[in-house]
């Protein structure tokens, strides 16, 4: 595209936090009508770069320039969100920032005008109606936000940005909480907005979606610009190799051979408590040598099932059984002793004790076993030896077994947890978001180890919001919606569209497909 089409230019951006270069001499260009995918794993520098663009951070070097209303590229003052908004930069965060007790219309106007101004309300409705007609972002703005679906809330967020005359729209993991059908609806809207001249920065880790929606791909790695690709010339392998810095071997899953049932929920009901969602009449079975996927939009009851299988809750009614024996009390230690291991969703708070060493964290669930305890005393030598082996085998990057867990990056904490889980050769594994925050190379390694655990005979439940991950791993799919679970059947009989319908609550999709 010609330079006159440039909407946004970030030039030689550098930002350091102490000795860490979060952004190191990064340049980026966005043109009118272009969807630019910004990729990179956790810690690659994406968030820092977008915070500089939006004025939340002040860069140490470099400049941000945006096309003004007269068509000239002007430099934005550093550290000024107000200047970024005035220049037409809008951002929709992964976690929405809407007032749930207000209507969609009031949320759009919030922060730009007085809500009690009736005259302005009329003008606002006219402007929003025009935006909806041009964009296709149809949503009932009279309803309170707390009554809207996740997809509708996202539309309100985008309308809010467009109402403020955004010409550059930043979308941070916009499909993380959408069904495949909702995601495709979003892409239709983005294509229409781009056709009208809007520039979009699309931040995602889902390579299939990036290839579907973007025109160009920019990859960050370790705070630096790793490279750019024209989407029409790219494929998953090329993107993955650029993100990791080396060739990534694809996973070739062979079907498992299911054995005897080892864990079952029968007619389980569980009330909402804290961050845990409720469950309604849930029945499921895990079998030895099988990986079962639990798919669903975040917040539909996954945390309730995870709490049960972690020993943090017991059913209000119904039966939870492990190896044919009923589980009658909430006791994580009992489940661990019985052969169940868990990879928790919140690895920093629930997965490790930050002030304890890597060696202690790897042994923490086994300290009473003969391998780590003699005559009531801890066998520190055995713990160190286990830690050294695990660090090497699972590529836990740290200064050694004595390093405090709190000093590890999120990805390395996840690898530490994986080592603790798999080195015990458990019979049942709960893998809750097992690769969140890991680079693609590390994801592939985690997937291989989970498949190897299945082939050793473990029964595995994988909870993930990434359908690509679930289709890579699972032998069978369960889908959860509003606390209810449906058995969707073997992976080979399913496609993303069917799973997406089930995730949206169309629980008769399986019967309809079968007929």
């Amino acid at each position: 595209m010609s330079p006159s089409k440039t909407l946004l230019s970030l030039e030689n951006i550098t930002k350091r936090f102490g000795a860490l270069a979060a952004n190191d001499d990064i340049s980026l260009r966005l043109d009118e009508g272009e969807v630019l995918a910004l990729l990179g794993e956790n810690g690659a520098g994406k968030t820092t770069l977008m915070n500089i663009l939006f004025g939340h951070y002040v860069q140490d070097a470099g400049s941000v320039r945006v096309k003004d209303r007269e068509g000239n590229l002007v430099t934005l003052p550093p550290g000024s969100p107000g200047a970024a908004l005035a220049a037409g930069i809008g951002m929709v965060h992964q976690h929405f920032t809407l007032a749930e007790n207000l209507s969609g219309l009031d949320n759009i106007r919030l922060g730009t005008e007085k809500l009690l101004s009736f005259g302005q309300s009329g003008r606002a409705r006219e402007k929003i109606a025009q935006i909806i007609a041009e964009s296709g972002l149809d949503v009932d703005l009279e309803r309170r936000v707390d009554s809207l679906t996740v997809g509708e809330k996202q539309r309100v967020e985008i309308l809010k940005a467009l109402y403020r005359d955004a010409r550059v729209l930043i979308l941070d993991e916009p499909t993380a909480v959408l069904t495949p059908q909702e995601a495709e609806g979003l892409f239709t809207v983005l294509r229409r907005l781009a056709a009208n001249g809007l520039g979009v920065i699309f931040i995602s880790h889902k390579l299939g979606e990036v290839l579907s929606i973007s025109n160009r791909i920019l990859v960050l790695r370790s705070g630096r610009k790793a490279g750019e690709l024209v989407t029409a010339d790219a494929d998953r392998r090329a993107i993955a190799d650029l993100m990791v810095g080396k060739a990534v071997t694809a996973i070739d899953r062979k079907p498992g051979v299911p054995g005897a049932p080892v864990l079952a929920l029968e007619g389980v009901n569980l009330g909402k408590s804290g961050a845990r969602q409720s469950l309604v009449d849930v029945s499921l079975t895990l079998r030895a040598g099988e990986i079962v996927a639990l798919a669903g939009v975040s917040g539909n009851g996954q945390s309730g099932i995870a709490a049960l299988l972690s020993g943090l809750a017991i059913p209000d009614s119904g039966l939870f059984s492990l190896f044919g024996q009923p589980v009658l009390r909430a006791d994580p230690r009992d489940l661990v002793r019985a052969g169940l291991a868990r990879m928790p969703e919140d690895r920093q708070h629930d997965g490790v004790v930050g002030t304890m060493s890597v060696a202690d964290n790897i042994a923490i669930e086994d300290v009473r076993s003969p391998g780590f305890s003699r005559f009531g005393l801890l066998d520190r030598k055995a713990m160190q030896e286990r830690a050294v082996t695990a660090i090497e085998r699972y590529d836990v990057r740290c200064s050694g077994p004595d390093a405090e867990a709190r000093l590890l990056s999120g990805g390395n904490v996840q690898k530490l947890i994986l080592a603790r889980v798999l080195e015990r050769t458990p019979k049942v594994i709960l893998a809750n978001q097992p690769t969140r925050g890991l680079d693609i190379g590390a994801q592939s390694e985690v997937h291989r180890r989970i498949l190897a655990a299945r082939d050793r005979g473990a029964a595995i439940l994988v909870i993930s919001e990434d359908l690509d991950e679930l289709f890579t791993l699972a032998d069978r799919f369960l889908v959860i919606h509003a606390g209810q679970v449906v058995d969707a059947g073997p992976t080979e009989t399913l496609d993303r569209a069917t799973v997406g319908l089930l995730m949206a609550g169309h629980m008769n999709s399986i019967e309809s497909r079968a007929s």
Side-chain angles (χ1 to χ4, degrees):
M1 295 186 182
S2 63
S4 63
K5 293 288 187 181
T6 300
L7 268 177
L8 170 70
S9 177
L10 278 67
E11 300 167 4
N12 309 111
I13 298 294
T14 295
K15 177 66 177 177
R16 294 182 178 276
F17 296 97
L20 173 67
N23 291 152
D24 188 357
D25 194 32
I26 296 175
S27 295
L28 172 155
R29 187 196 80 248
L30 179 68
D31 294 321
E32 292 178 1
E34 181 182 35
V35 179
L36 173 67
L38 181 62
L39 301 185
E41 302 302 327
N42 283 10
K46 305 186 303 295
T47 300
T48 299
L49 192 65
M50 292 301 99
N51 279 328
I52 289 170
L53 169 58
F54 207 65
H56 289 151
Y57 289 170
V58 176
Q59 64 269 29
D60 298 324
S63 61
V64 177
R65 298 201 296 162
V66 183
K67 180 181 283 189
D68 64 12
R69 307 297 175 185
E70 287 71 44
N72 304 309
L73 282 175
V74 298
T75 301
L76 287 182
S80 175
L85 285 169
I89 298 173
M91 188 166 184
V92 177
H93 296 272
Q94 180 179 348
H95 303 289
F96 305 143
T97 56
L98 299 171
E100 296 274 327
N101 61 330
L102 296 179
S103 69
L105 177 64
D106 286 346
N107 267 277
I108 291 171
R109 297 170 58 211
L110 193 63
T112 60
E113 58 201 52
K114 295 178 180 179
L115 296 183
L116 297 179
S117 174
F118 294 102
Q120 286 190 359
S121 175
R123 287 192 292 272
R125 291 174 188 277
E126 291 176 7
K127 182 175 181 179
I128 294 169
Q130 182 178 353
I131 294 171
I132 290 174
E134 293 173 353
S135 66
L137 284 163
D138 192 20
V139 60
D140 184 356
L141 296 177
E142 302 302 324
R143 290 169 55 194
R144 278 172 46 129
V145 165
D146 58 9
S147 70
L148 300 177
T149 66
V150 173
E152 289 170 332
K153 291 177 182 179
Q154 187 178 70
R155 289 182 170 226
V156 173
E157 285 276 24
I158 297 175
L159 283 170
K160 184 168 67 174
L162 298 177
Y163 182 72
R164 298 180 178 187
D165 300 320
R167 292 174 299 138
V168 174
L169 184 63
I170 306 164
L171 297 174
D172 185 8
E173 297 286 357
T175 65
V177 292
L178 301 182
T179 67
Q181 287 81 359
E182 288 173 326
E184 190 51 51
L186 171 65
F187 295 163
T188 299
V189 168
L190 293 182
R191 294 185 185 104
R192 185 179 298 183
L193 291 171
N196 291 333
L198 186 76
V200 179
I201 297 177
F202 185 88
I203 302 172
S204 179
H205 70 282
K206 298 180 180 179
L207 302 190
E209 295 180 352
V210 165
L211 290 168
S212 172
I213 189 59
S214 68
N215 305 109
R216 192 161 48 91
I217 300 165
L218 187 149
V219 178
L220 301 183
R221 186 172 70 245
S222 301
R224 296 185 63 87
K225 185 175 173 179
E228 289 188 44
L229 297 167
V230 175
T231 306
D233 301 328
D235 58 22
R236 289 173 183 259
R237 179 63 56 83
I239 299 170
D241 292 352
L242 196 58
M243 292 173 74
V244 178
K246 60 182 179 181
V248 177
T249 305
I251 296 294
D252 182 20
R253 179 184 64 87
K254 301 291 194 300
V257 182
V262 295
L263 182 149
L265 302 181
E266 301 174 38
V268 164
N269 291 278
L270 183 66
K272 178 179 174 63
S273 176
R276 185 189 75 207
Q277 300 97 26
S278 59
L279 299 175
V280 181
D281 195 26
V282 168
S283 296
L284 62 88
T285 300
L286 302 183
R287 294 177 173 83
E290 182 182 44
I291 297 176
V292 177
L294 182 65
V297 175
S298 178
N300 274 272
Q302 295 95 323
S303 64
I305 288 178
L308 287 173
L309 271 57
S310 299
L312 301 176
I314 55 172
D316 298 332
S317 61
L319 177 65
F320 172 21
S321 60
L322 183 64
F323 304 114
Q325 300 298 314
V327 177
L328 302 177
R329 62 176 184 167
D331 191 328
R333 188 165 57 185
D334 281 353
L335 295 184
V336 169
R337 285 173 175 168
L340 188 148
R342 67 181 185 122
M343 299 173 61
E345 178 181 13
D346 188 344
R347 57 190 175 224
Q348 294 289 359
H349 293 97
D350 297 335
V352 296
V353 180
T355 56
M356 290 174 61
S357 69
V358 169
D360 288 343
N361 272 285
I362 289 175
I364 196 170
E365 293 184 340
D366 261 351
V367 290
R368 296 177 185 271
S369 69
F372 291 141
S373 179
R374 291 185 178 182
F375 309 111
L377 299 175
L378 290 178
D379 187 341
R380 288 286 177 184
K381 182 180 178 181
M383 292 169 63
Q384 289 277 322
E385 289 174 351
R386 166 78 72 86
V388 169
T389 300
I391 288 170
E392 181 178 357
R393 187 174 294 172
Y394 293 85
D395 189 27
V396 182
R397 298 180 186 180
C398 61
S399 60
D402 294 324
E404 289 188 7
R406 64 183 179 86
L407 301 177
L408 273 61
S409 70
N412 282 301
V413 169
Q414 189 75 335
K415 289 189 243 181
L416 186 158
I417 294 169
L418 184 74
R420 181 176 69 210
V421 166
L422 297 184
E423 285 297 289
R424 294 176 47 238
T425 60
K427 300 174 184 176
V428 183
I429 299 172
L430 166 64
N432 196 349
Q433 313 298 338
T435 63
R436 179 180 285 170
L438 299 185
D439 66 44
I440 291 177
Q443 288 179 19
S444 296
E445 185 60 26
V446 170
H447 290 166
R448 286 190 187 89
R449 292 188 180 279
I450 289 175
L451 286 166
R454 178 204 67 179
D455 294 341
R456 289 196 301 267
I460 304 171
L461 179 68
V462 178
I463 302 176
S464 177
E465 293 156 20
D466 186 343
L467 280 184
D468 288 341
E469 175 167 66
L470 294 180
F471 273 99
T472 296
L473 291 174
D475 300 302
R476 182 164 53 91
F477 264 75
L478 304 173
V479 181
I480 189 166
H481 174 78
Q484 296 180 295
V485 172
V486 62
D487 189 336
T491 301
E492 286 72 22
T493 67
L494 298 169
D495 55 33
R496 292 174 62 90
T498 301
V499 174
L501 288 170
L502 291 168
M503 289 167 62
H506 301 286
M507 293 301 191
N508 59 349
S509 298
I510 295 296
E511 289 80 357
S512 300
R513 185 168 57 91
S515 61

